């Protein structure tokens, strides 16, 4: 049996759930988790139907992309995932989706301001848009590695999709759903052509300080819960 069986099973369970919930479809997007205690990640294979995926199909790569287990070609965004884990010691799961509402806001270049306190608490002060670069290129990887240093956990990728980070896989999955809600609400407010109100600045700062505190705890290795 693979020494990575547990993390690979987690990846498969997550992609099934996200496919069931409509956030992933067929082969679009990709998902990874950090292998505990190693400079390595378990990631979905490239161009492989999520509903047919089993733990034996999941790739395990070191952060320099050297394969530890490579039953298939790994996701073309593997370098992007590895760069995020290297830039952010608090991140243990990364989900890239092509979910519709954040993708729409990214097309019209509309970053999401602080609309809800739970948004700031888990996603960050705002949801920024990462400039376009073609999939799987060093340019995209470098754009993303630069942006994630702002400690936010949600991003929209211009003309592409969304990117969600979490201190564990459950939180990253919750962040997928939270971003979808925020993106839909903001898109509807833009369609209504009314000014969208934001949470007060002090609420934004208090909520973001809580997220930063969690991240610092994860980096110190003493935080395992799924948050509030
Ligand atoms: Zn993609």
């Amino acid at each position: 049996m693979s020494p990575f069986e547990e993390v690979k099973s987690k990846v498969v369970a997550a992609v099934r759930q996200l496919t069931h919930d409509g956030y992933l479809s067929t082969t679009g997007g990709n998902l990874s988790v950090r292998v505990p205690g190693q400079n390595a990640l378990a990631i979905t294979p490239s161009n492989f139907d999520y509903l047919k995926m089993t733990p034996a199909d999941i790739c395990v790569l070191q952060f320099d992309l050297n394969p530890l287990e490579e039953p298939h070609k790994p996701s073309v965004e593997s370098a992007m995932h590895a760069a995020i884990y290297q830039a952010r010691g608090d991140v243990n799961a990364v989900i890239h989706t092509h979910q519709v509402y954040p993708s729409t806001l990214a097309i019209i270049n509309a970053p999401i301001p602080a609309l809800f306190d739970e948004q700031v608490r888990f996603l960050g002060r705002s949801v920024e848009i990462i400039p376009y670069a073609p999939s799987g290129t060093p340019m995209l990887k470098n754009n993303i590695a630069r942006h994630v240093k702002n400690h936010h956990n949600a991003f929209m990728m211009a003309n592409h999709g969304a990117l969600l980070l979490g201190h564990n896989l459950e939180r990253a999955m919750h962040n997928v759903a939270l971003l979808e809600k925020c993106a839909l609400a903001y898109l509807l407010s833009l369609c209504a052509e009314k000014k969208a109100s934001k949470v007060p600045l002090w609420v934004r700062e208090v909520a973001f300080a809580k997220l930063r505190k969690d991240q610092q705890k994860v980096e110190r290795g003493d935080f395992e819960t799924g948050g509030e």
Side-chain angles (χ1 to χ4, degrees):
M1 187 186 265
S2 161
F4 306 112
E5 203 59 31
E6 193 181 334
V7 282
K8 295 201 298 184
S9 298
K10 273 190 187 177
V11 168
V12 170
V15 293
R16 284 207 185 126
Q17 184 65 48
L18 291 165
T19 305
H20 178 262
D21 294 343
Y23 298 120
L24 291 176
S25 65
T26 61
T27 66
N30 35 67
L31 182 150
S32 74
V33 295
R34 186 194 291 267
V35 177
Q38 297 192 36
N39 288 327
L41 69 156
I43 191 162
T44 47
S46 177
N47 200 25
F48 198 105
D49 192 323
Y50 290 121
L51 295 178
K52 294 184 179 144
M53 212 172 271
T54 72
D57 297 312
I58 304 303
C59 302
V60 181
L61 311 172
Q62 292 176 322
F63 289 159
D64 61 6
L65 305 190
N66 202 27
L68 298 176
E69 291 189 3
E70 200 175 44
H72 304 283
K73 185 176 174 293
S75 164
V76 293
E77 305 294 8
S78 295
M80 168 183 100
H81 287 248
I84 294 168
Y85 293 121
Q86 289 174 295
R88 290 274 302 271
D90 63 293
V91 170
N92 291 311
V94 174
I95 304 175
H96 163 52
T97 71
H98 296 167
Q99 62 194 96
V100 174
Y101 299 116
S103 299
T104 307
L105 290 176
I107 290 170
I108 60 172
N109 194 27
I112 307 175
L115 303 176
F116 307 103
D117 53 5
E118 63 163 353
Q119 171 199 348
V120 181
R121 175 73 178 81
F122 295 112
L123 305 184
R125 284 192 177 102
S126 63
V127 185
E128 293 178 1
I129 294 170
I130 295 173
Y132 179 77
S135 298
T137 60
M139 204 205 298
L140 180 62
K141 181 198 80 169
N142 293 338
N143 281 353
I144 283 171
R146 199 168 56 245
H147 275 79
V148 298
K149 287 184 183 150
N150 66 4
H151 302 289
H152 292 178
N153 285 336
F155 301 87
M156 300 183 289
M157 299 158 69
N159 303 88
H160 190 161
L163 181 66
L164 288 309
L165 318 179
H167 69 272
N168 61 27
L169 186 51
E170 292 72 24
R171 187 64 246 170
M173 291 170 74
H174 290 162
N175 288 347
V176 170
L178 182 53
L179 175 62
E180 189 78 344
K181 173 210 150 176
C182 296
L184 176 56
Y186 190 49
L187 184 61
L188 290 173
S189 74
L190 294 175
C191 293
E193 297 184 355
K194 304 279 187 193
K195 191 172 182 301
S197 62
K198 300 171 199 165
V199 292
L201 199 57
W202 70 268
V203 171
R204 188 189 79 173
E205 291 310 306
V206 167
F208 187 62
K210 285 184 182 173
L211 175 61
R212 289 290 296 124
K213 214 170 158 191
D214 286 351
Q215 292 174 347
Q216 285 151 0
K217 279 189 200 164
V218 176
E219 287 184 57
R220 289 198 306 269
D222 59 352
F223 184 74
E224 291 297 331
T225 73
E228 290 165 13

